[in-house]
Amino acid sequence: MLDAIRVQEVSPTVAWLRSPAAIRERCHQVLDLGLAGRLEYFKVEPSRLPTVVDRVLAVTHEAYPRLDIPVHSRWRHFDAGGVPRLAQLEARLASLPPEERARAKVDLGVVSVLLDAGSGPAWRYQEPGGASYVRSEGLAVASLRMFMAGGFSSDPDRPLRADAEALSRMTREHLERGFQVSESNPLLGVEGRLHLLQGLSRVLPRPGSMFDMLAAHRRSVRAAEVLGTVLEVLGPIWPGRTTVDGVNLGDVWPHPALGPPGSADALVPFHKLSQWLAYSLVEPLADAGVAVTELDALTGLPEYRNGGLFVDLGVLVPQDPRLTMEVYSPGDAPIVEWRALTVALLDRVAALVRGRLELTPEELPLAKVLQGGTWTAGRRVAAELRPGGVPPIRIRSDGTVF
């Protein structure tokens, strides 16, 4: 089954749209149009970028005074509130061989990332005997606790894993119970999350199989190859959206300024959850002795914290005030434009942050600028400006994009 997935033939166009180079190229094309004043929805004010850099550096120095910044990944959220949950997981995995420990961590990372799309402002997770957590940290803690309780395993004797049998049997009721969903504690996009988990069961015997694909008898793997494997293997699980040459592309959307409707030239790939997963595979692979190299080939993540930072600090100015009042779907042109501009501007912010710190891209890759970083600054600024820290632009979450 795995070999069949690995040799799937796709057209050159599809292969390119799955690459991080395509993400970066198309997003910078949108930024170039914005700098030339040729975009419909946002005006770009590059003179405001130093203000963004100031905020990013402030939160970075606060959280990492020695600049010992880890890679931006799902693993940062599992110990939310200072609770050493990962140490608890490590202790329970300690008796397993190194390769099986790595597979278990990949099982957890994949499932948790696929459950990580925006929760909405009303949901929270009350950890038994502990505090309550919201948004991404809440989703991380909920997924970890569900994993450690065997919620994704079909084998009671091996609870610390996820496998196709358990994922295929996952019901909405089971997922809602694990995430404490109720009428008074609503979680956005439950059906979308369930769809992804059930889809995962149809493409892999267990998510941890990706460890074997990536690690096979080698000591390093390029970040672009990690993302390529994620996109190739998980491609069939995404809801049907844009299709090119018979292949569903997932998080890829048209922007009218780039090309005629229906053409591949108009498409902007983002692959946000897939890149978030690629970043989140770095540590499980490293723990098993496989280094992920050329990390800066991946791009910034086009989600509402990074994108909101640019809107809230005046780098991106909505051309129409209604952009901050209405609710949009991920494929709506204003959202595609906003996300593309976010990816390209994150490259500029990373370069400016490195310049201020006198560090090289090797010393401070984009993944660490995001962690240091832009995501936290976006959340902090949003909390200062609006109750509950809601983003400046609202998106309908179906549980499969953000």
Side-chain angles (χ1 to χ4, degrees), residues 139-300:
L139 294 167
V141 174
S143 60
L144 175 62
R145 289 306 183 197
M146 197 170 171
F147 180 84
M148 292 181 72
F152 304 108
S153 172
S154 64
D155 186 346
D157 295 327
R158 295 189 294 170
L160 298 181
R161 55 179 275 147
D163 59 60
E165 184 178 345
L167 294 173
S168 68
R169 296 200 311 250
M170 183 73 63
T171 64
R172 179 174 181 135
E173 292 71 26
H174 186 191
L175 190 58
E176 288 184 336
R177 185 164 58 251
F179 280 69
Q180 302 176 350
V181 178
S182 65
E183 286 189 11
S184 61
N185 192 37
L187 175 65
L188 295 181
V190 173
E191 282 296 335
R193 297 169 209 270
L194 181 62
H195 172 89
L196 293 182
L197 293 185
Q198 292 175 340
L200 185 59
S201 76
R202 293 189 288 272
V203 298
L204 288 171
R206 64 181 290 192
S209 302
M210 279 201 285
F211 167 75
D212 298 282
M213 296 176 183
L214 293 166
H217 311 296
R218 52 181 163 175
R219 303 304 299 270
S220 67
V221 59
R222 293 180 298 109
E225 186 177 348
V226 175
L227 177 61
T229 299
V230 168
L231 290 172
E232 182 181 0
V233 174
L234 301 189
I237 80 173
W238 305 110
R241 297 185 180 113
T242 300
T243 299
V244 170
D245 299 329
V247 177
N248 173 34
L249 293 175
D251 189 12
V252 177
W253 315 87
H255 189 285
L258 293 183
S263 76
D265 290 340
L267 296 177
V268 186
F270 296 114
H271 306 302
K272 185 267 178 179
L273 280 179
S274 296
Q275 288 205 91
W276 180 226
L277 177 52
Y279 282 128
S280 299
L281 293 178
V282 170
E283 286 154 280
L285 287 165
D287 290 346
V290 181
V292 178
T293 62
E294 301 176 26
L295 200 56
D296 256 8
L298 304 184
T299 74

Side-chain angles (χ1 to χ4, degrees), residues 130-144:
S132 65
Y133 300 92
V134 299
R135 298 192 181 273
S136 201
E137 288 89 344
L139 294 167
V141 174
S143 60
L144 175 62

Side-chain angles (χ1 to χ4, degrees), residues 41-209:
Y41 302 103
F42 289 94
K43 183 168 64 171
V44 181
E45 296 286 358
S47 64
R48 297 289 299 169
L49 279 172
T51 302
V52 172
V53 173
D54 289 342
R55 293 304 296 256
V56 171
L57 285 171
V59 298
T60 299
H61 283 302
E62 178 183 324
Y64 305 101
R66 299 178 184 174
L67 298 181
D68 51 346
I69 309 166
V71 168
H72 187 56
S73 81
R74 191 58 165 155
W75 301 93
R76 306 285 76 77
H77 295 151
F78 288 132
D79 283 345
V83 179
R85 300 178 192 87
L86 287 178
Q88 298 168 17
L89 176 65
E90 291 282 2
R92 290 185 58 186
L93 293 173
S95 63
L96 299 176
E99 293 81 3
E100 185 57 25
R101 289 201 299 271
R103 291 185 194 101
K105 291 176 185 177
V106 173
D107 282 338
L108 170 60
V110 172
V111 169
S112 187
V113 166
L114 293 182
L115 290 168
D116 190 39
S119 66
W123 178 82
R124 65 185 53 246
Y125 178 77
Q126 176 68 51
E127 189 169 27
S132 65
Y133 300 92
V134 299
R135 298 192 181 273
S136 201
E137 288 89 344
L139 294 167
V141 174
S143 60
L144 175 62
R145 289 306 183 197
M146 197 170 171
F147 180 84
M148 292 181 72
F152 304 108
S153 172
S154 64
D155 186 346
D157 295 327
R158 295 189 294 170
L160 298 181
R161 55 179 275 147
D163 59 60
E165 184 178 345
L167 294 173
S168 68
R169 296 200 311 250
M170 183 73 63
T171 64
R172 179 174 181 135
E173 292 71 26
H174 186 191
L175 190 58
E176 288 184 336
R177 185 164 58 251
F179 280 69
Q180 302 176 350
V181 178
S182 65
E183 286 189 11
S184 61
N185 192 37
L187 175 65
L188 295 181
V190 173
E191 282 296 335
R193 297 169 209 270
L194 181 62
H195 172 89
L196 293 182
L197 293 185
Q198 292 175 340
L200 185 59
S201 76
R202 293 189 288 272
V203 298
L204 288 171
R206 64 181 290 192
S209 302

